[in-house]
Amino acid sequence: MAGRNGRTVRDLRRANRTAVLQRLYFDGPLSRFELGPATGLSSGSVSNVVADLVADGLVEEAGSVDSDGGRPRTLLRVAPVSGHMIGVDVGETRVRVELFDLTLTELARAELPLEQQRYEVEVIVDHIRSGIDEVLATAGLDPARLLGVGIGVPGIVERTPDRGAVVHGQTIGWNAIPLESLLRTGSPLPDAVPYFIDNGAKTLGQAEMWFGAGRGARNALVVLFGSGVGACLVTPEAEHGRAVEWGHLTVRVRGRRCRCGALGCLEAYAGAESLLARWREEGGRVPGGTDEETALTTMLAAAYPADGTPADPVALAVLEETAEYLGAGLSDLINLFQPERILMGGWAGLQLGSRFLPAVRKHALSYALRHPAEKVTIELGRLGPDAVTVGAAILPLADFFSRGGRRPDPDPQAPPPAWHTALQDRAPR
């Protein structure tokens, strides 16, 4: 029966379960007494919901604390083994697959390299399937116990009614690739286990907002600095995050040709691929036969030698110029969106780290308008190289929360996952 606002009793129970699960997840362990004000539910509703969640194996006791003059209060927490998720990062040098329990503790991982950064669709699909098989076998986990598989990919992702998630990745040669349906064909997983596919910068941003340097912020930009560059924008109007094709902002008219085919994109100057290419063009000794991550490590060591030897002036000049391009690109984001925080992640961002960030910060603030520049902080992300896989695993976790801790509906005609709605409650209070 539906109430005046159209919500049924079932909807109300699901919302109450979601509220309790999320507060225990982010703020727990908590007592029943503490859950009342934390969720806005009455003590009776909290008791009923907790009883249901305990009966379902989703919540367990976690010790007790003394109360003021009364009996000790039992603490509750989310049971880690009550659910499992897989996160996948389709990266620039490899496909990384990680298996997590419900509290996002890593249980197993697989790293499958990509040769010369080639994004053949069949290879990517096979790597994802193989990685899923490997992590499940390593952990000895029944695939039916998965809440879902989250996948972070380069490019724009749209959801279609007939083919599921379709990826438009112009820089990697993917034109409307029906990745979800391809993964479903010959999948090692039961049909009831859903796939959640989204842009990799967005999954990186989601991880930082839930568990990293973005916690507590309402307006933030999380930048992925790898072979290319991308960003995730989080605002009150886009609380679940929105991928921004920032790397294809034009920074120089008739400039260098970008991987997307256009001229003068930020990515053509600030991505690690172009950074190394510019070093090579200027006479730098880029090591042959190595992947980009190794080559960038060599360049960084040449520009900032740790043994007191003179710096390679070419490497240093290219890095300094790249810092200015990145800073100028960030200034556009500051002027457009006025974020309170900008976080830099991605493998190249993490490699260059603290040596590179001060210069990027200086240029960003010098190019931006004074008022928004005075209100923004620019820092590194805190979750390291696994941030994209953690963020990808959050997608099925958020869907699980939105369902009140119920597993996905095995009915293929069921409505699409509601994880975007759950992500709106992305950050701990």
Side-chain angles (χ1 to χ4, degrees), residues 47-76:
S47 294
N48 290 336
V49 171
V50 167
D52 284 346
L53 294 173
V54 170
D56 290 346
L58 295 174
V59 168
E60 62 187 16
E61 293 185 359
S64 62
V65 292
D66 293 334
S67 61
D68 297 333
R71 293 185 302 172
R73 292 185 180 133
T74 301
L75 294 175
L76 303 165

Side-chain angles (χ1 to χ4, degrees), residues 23 27 30-43 46 429:
R23 294 282 58 84
D27 302 330
L30 296 171
S31 68
R32 289 171 178 82
F33 179 79
E34 292 170 311
L35 278 169
T39 60
L41 300 177
S42 68
S43 58
V46 167
R429 294 173 181 168

Side-chain angles (χ1 to χ4, degrees), residues 61-424:
E61 293 185 359
S64 62
V65 292
D66 293 334
S67 61
D68 297 333
R71 293 185 302 172
R73 292 185 180 133
T74 301
L75 294 175
L76 303 165
R77 68 178 181 185
V78 172
V81 298
S82 58
H84 299 81
M85 302 81 65
I86 286 177
V88 179
D89 174 11
V90 179
E92 291 143 340
T93 60
R94 45 90 192 105
V95 173
R96 174 179 291 146
V97 182
E98 296 183 60
L99 173 67
F100 301 92
D101 68 16
L102 199 65
T103 59
L104 286 173
T105 298
E106 182 190 313
L107 304 178
R109 76 163 56 201
E111 301 264 358
L112 299 102
L114 296 175
E115 294 185 4
Q116 299 177 346
Q117 296 177 259
R118 299 179 68 179
Y119 284 91
E120 287 94 342
V121 175
E122 296 80 6
V123 172
I124 298 296
V125 169
D126 184 63
H127 276 9
I128 293 173
R129 288 177 184 157
S130 299
I132 290 172
D133 276 338
E134 183 176 336
V135 297
L136 290 173
T138 299
L141 184 71
D142 180 354
R145 295 180 60 190
L146 284 174
L147 301 178
V149 177
I151 304 171
V153 297
I156 298 169
V157 180
E158 65 174 345
R159 188 170 184 85
T160 64
D162 55 337
R163 298 191 296 173
V166 173
V167 183
H168 303 268
Q170 189 167 324
T171 60
I172 61 173
W174 284 20
N175 181 24
I177 298 300
L179 184 59
E180 184 174 351
S181 61
L182 290 173
L183 288 169
R184 280 286 175 207
T185 304
S187 171
L189 302 178
D191 289 342
V193 177
Y195 288 94
F196 302 81
I197 301 171
D198 215 325
N199 176 272
K202 183 173 172 182
T203 66
L204 167 69
Q206 195 57 60
E208 289 289 349
M209 296 306 293
W210 272 33
F211 302 110
R215 286 180 57 149
R218 287 183 56 78
N219 297 274
L221 280 155
V222 185
V223 174
L224 191 156
F225 177 25
S227 183
V229 291
C232 172
L233 169 68
V234 180
T235 68
E237 295 74 33
E239 290 189 297
H240 54 268
R242 183 173 77 238
V244 179
E245 290 295 333
W246 175 55
H248 304 289
L249 180 82
T250 301
V251 294
R252 191 165 182 174
V253 176
R254 294 186 296 276
R256 295 175 63 89
R257 187 164 299 279
C258 178
R259 296 187 300 177
C260 74
L263 298 175
C265 292
L266 175 63
E267 187 168 295
Y269 293 90
E273 179 181 297
S274 64
L275 193 158
L276 291 166
R278 285 162 46 227
W279 186 33
R280 184 183 297 109
E281 291 163 9
E282 295 295 327
R285 295 187 295 276
V286 181
T290 60
D291 60 32
E292 272 187 7
E293 295 187 34
T294 304
L296 187 59
T297 300
T298 301
M299 182 180 186
L300 186 61
Y304 305 106
D307 58 3
T309 59
D312 178 334
V314 176
L316 187 59
V318 171
L319 283 170
E320 288 176 345
E321 184 183 45
T322 300
E324 185 166 8
Y325 275 115
L326 275 173
L330 288 180
S331 74
D332 289 330
L333 297 180
I334 293 170
N335 292 343
L336 284 169
F337 302 113
Q338 301 180 30
E340 57 188 285
R341 295 182 203 175
I342 294 178
L343 310 174
M344 189 167 76
W347 65 264
L350 294 172
Q351 270 204 34
L352 295 171
S354 58
R355 285 188 175 275
F356 195 62
L357 190 62
V360 173
R361 184 185 293 119
K362 179 188 73 173
H363 291 302
L365 300 184
S366 68
Y367 280 108
L369 292 169
R370 186 181 305 112
H371 181 69
E374 289 173 346
K375 295 178 177 295
V376 69
T377 60
I378 303 173
E379 56 188 287
L380 291 176
R382 296 177 187 167
L383 297 183
D386 293 340
V388 173
T389 48
V390 171
I394 285 174
L395 303 182
L397 175 62
D399 177 64
F400 183 63
F401 283 159
S402 75
R403 298 176 188 274
R406 306 291 188 190
R407 288 184 175 272
D409 192 329
D411 180 2
Q413 301 303 316
W419 56 270
H420 277 291
T421 301
L423 290 178
Q424 292 178 1

